[in-house]
Amino acid sequence: MAASSSPPHALILPYPAQSHVIALLELSYYLIDRGFTITFLNTQFNHDRLLAVLKFTCFVADESVSWAFDVAKKLNLRSAAFFPAAAAVLATNFSIPQLILDGIIDEEGELKHMGEHERSAGTAAMDAAKFYWNCFADKTTRRVFFHYIVSNNRAVAAAEFIICNTFQELESPALSQAPNILPVGPLLSGCRPGRPSGFFWPPETDCLRWLDQQPLASVVYVAFGSHTIFTPVQFQELALGLELTGRPFLLVVRPDITDVEDQPYPARFVERVAGGRGKVVGWSPQQQVLSHRSIACFVTHCGWNSTLEGVRNGVPFLCWPQFCDQFFNESYICDVWRTGVRMERDENGIISKEKIASKVEELLGDGGIKARSSALKEKALRSIEEGGSSFENLNRFAEAMKDSSRAS
């Protein structure tokens, strides 16, 4: 072990998914700002060999790879678990034993009682059918994922800190239910020149120059994260719906789904929008896009990183969740914060081009949504400024981790 006078050196281990990598990279930069040396691992690295050579003073790992906390415990390293989603989701994971006792779920995570899992005022009620582990159609997969979450909960309990990419003013009721969660967000991504952003695809920054040419608060920004794949029918309805709005739009279509056979554009769509009213990119510098003066709203899958980036920039949301915690995040946006509206699917599960266009108009015509979005932005900014709740929590965490002696 390093002596207590050694510089703080954090070993960071993310779950290998983009949103996890992005958030933990940004947390690493915050710790660098506070005097830490960082070693950032990918899961393919030989952890035992690295730990034998380097004298780390603390260990920070993604909650999803909680097996790694056994390594920290054996080496007597101070440790912290990092959760990249909403604190309320993690609090629900921790409440699994109580959910079983209350008869809402059985010991395999299967529903016994339909309806909403109610929380205290100011926290979104969670539809029991949309619990984190119920996002899979296959029963066996649901059960495997459920037991994975239960196992993670036990392992994470060994960590000295549980830090979360959220802020006190955003999730105060949920954080009061789980006081062991330390909020340190919103962690900003892609805003540090010359440093890796965690993006799995290179951002096409020419879209910023295109945004410069658009009127104030006019552009519909559309991005669905790193996993969403639409059917060809839904993709065409999306493209035509954006065109039908008559507004300028910036559409992100990831490089891994731009094959014409998988995601065919409507006939002559690209030619019609190429004149400047619409722009399609493979990946965008999202934080810079959302902070741009020309952005009017954000059509999103409601991933937590995207949700926080929208909150931090005061952008209204048009919600289009796909799986996992995204439905819960939609409830936060539409029911608690009231900074967005939901999409509506037809009987075939499709959101039509007409519905897309009408929902954009509904969202942008609601002055209350814009006002609440702006107010939430101010709270987010205050939280990360000196003296703010997340700023002080980061200082508290950094100071604790600088002491290499493990707490009793």
Side-chain angles (χ1 to χ4, degrees):
M1 284 293 297
S4 59
S5 59
S6 299
H9 187 169
L11 175 63
I12 308 291
L13 175 60
Y15 182 79
Q18 179 173 263
S19 60
H20 297 248
V21 172
I22 287 173
L24 268 174
L25 262 176
E26 189 58 31
L27 177 66
S28 299
Y29 296 143
Y30 275 84
L31 293 177
I32 289 171
D33 292 341
R34 287 162 172 79
F36 278 70
T37 296
I38 299 293
T39 295
F40 195 89
L41 297 182
N42 290 318
T43 55
Q44 64 191 21
F45 286 9
N46 187 325
H47 302 155
D48 292 336
R49 183 176 180 184
L50 283 170
L51 287 168
V53 174
L54 299 175
K55 294 186 176 183
F56 297 108
T57 59
C58 65
F59 182 65
V60 181
D62 196 297
E63 182 266 352
S64 296
V65 289
S66 56
W67 50 264
F69 292 108
D70 288 338
V71 177
K73 187 175 182 180
K74 289 176 183 176
L75 293 172
N76 201 33
L77 288 172
R78 302 193 76 164
S79 62
F82 177 78
F83 192 68
V89 173
L90 183 56
T92 296
N93 290 351
F94 288 157
S95 72
I96 284 174
Q98 190 62 48
L99 292 173
I100 294 173
L101 286 175
D102 291 344
I104 296 174
I105 59 174
D106 63 22
E107 293 185 354
E108 298 294 332
E110 295 294 320
L111 293 177
K112 295 176 66 176
H113 173 70
M114 297 299 291
E116 292 186 334
H117 170 43
E118 296 292 346
R119 296 179 176 277
S120 61
T123 302
M126 183 175 286
D127 184 346
K130 294 176 181 175
F131 280 147
Y132 203 12
W133 55 89
N134 280 330
C135 61
F136 303 102
D138 176 68
K139 185 175 184 178
T140 299
T141 304
R142 288 200 304 271
R143 291 187 172 188
V144 169
F145 191 34
F146 174 76
H147 287 291
Y148 172 68
I149 292 172
V150 171
S151 177
N152 274 359
N153 289 345
R154 296 192 187 107
V156 167
E160 186 176 348
F161 284 90
I162 302 173
I163 49 182
C164 186
N165 187 14
T166 188
F167 59 99
Q168 183 67 41
E169 296 79 3
L170 189 70
E171 292 195 85
S172 182
L175 290 165
S176 68
Q177 295 172 11
N180 55 331
I181 299 175
L182 189 68
V184 297
L187 299 172
L188 310 183
S189 56
C191 295
R192 295 177 184 255
R195 290 185 173 179
S197 64
F199 296 145
F200 286 3
W201 299 276
E204 298 179 29
T205 56
D206 66 311
C207 67
L208 298 175
R209 292 188 292 275
W210 179 84
L211 288 172
D212 289 340
Q213 301 167 12
Q214 309 307 314
L216 179 68
S218 64
V219 176
V220 178
Y221 174 56
V222 187
F224 293 96
S226 57
H227 292 290
T228 301
I229 297 178
F230 287 126
T231 64
V233 170
Q234 184 62 86
F235 183 76
Q236 291 209 7
E237 291 295 311
L238 169 61
L240 293 171
L242 293 173
E243 188 177 12
L244 192 59
T245 65
R247 296 176 178 271
F249 62 86
L250 174 60
L251 171 63
V252 178
V253 183
R254 297 192 315 271
D256 62 328
I257 59 170
T258 54
D259 185 273
V260 175
E261 293 182 1
D262 294 332
Q263 300 279 301
Y265 289 99
R268 296 181 298 282
F269 172 79
V270 175
E271 292 84 353
R272 291 197 301 272
V273 303
R277 193 168 64 79
K279 187 168 181 62
V280 180
V281 296
W283 197 251
S284 77
Q286 183 160 286
Q287 184 66 238
Q288 293 168 274
V289 167
L290 288 172
S291 64
H292 199 281
R293 61 170 185 78
S294 70
I295 295 298
C297 65
F298 184 12
V299 182
T300 174
H301 64 306
C302 301
W304 189 245
N305 269 3
S306 291
T307 298
L308 277 189
E309 288 172 351
V311 165
R312 191 256 177 188
N313 288 290
V315 178
F317 296 93
L318 187 49
C319 299
W320 197 331
Q322 305 294 318
F323 68 106
C324 275
D325 63 321
Q326 296 165 12
F327 293 98
F328 176 74
N329 299 341
E330 177 190 50
S331 295
Y332 252 155
I333 292 167
C334 299
D335 303 330
V336 178
W337 309 331
R338 296 188 296 145
T339 56
V341 299
R342 291 177 169 86
M343 286 290 198
E344 296 175 3
R345 292 172 168 83
D346 64 19
E347 62 276 10
N348 297 313
I350 297 294
I351 301 176
S352 69
K353 57 183 179 293
E354 293 85 4
K355 183 61 70 175
I356 292 168
S358 68
K359 283 293 181 178
V360 167
E361 295 309 309
E362 176 186 341
L363 177 64
L364 296 183
D366 191 323
I369 285 179
K370 182 58 181 175
R372 288 187 290 272
S373 299
S374 297
L376 204 54
K377 172 185 175 178
E378 294 306 312
K379 292 180 180 179
L381 292 176
R382 284 198 298 271
S383 75
I384 57 177
E385 293 174 349
E386 186 170 359
S389 58
S390 290
F391 185 94
E392 293 303 320
N393 283 338
L394 273 166
N395 283 344
R396 171 187 163 196
F397 169 67
E399 289 303 314
M401 292 295 102
K402 285 178 180 179
D403 181 1
S404 64
S405 60
R406 189 175 175 85
S408 58

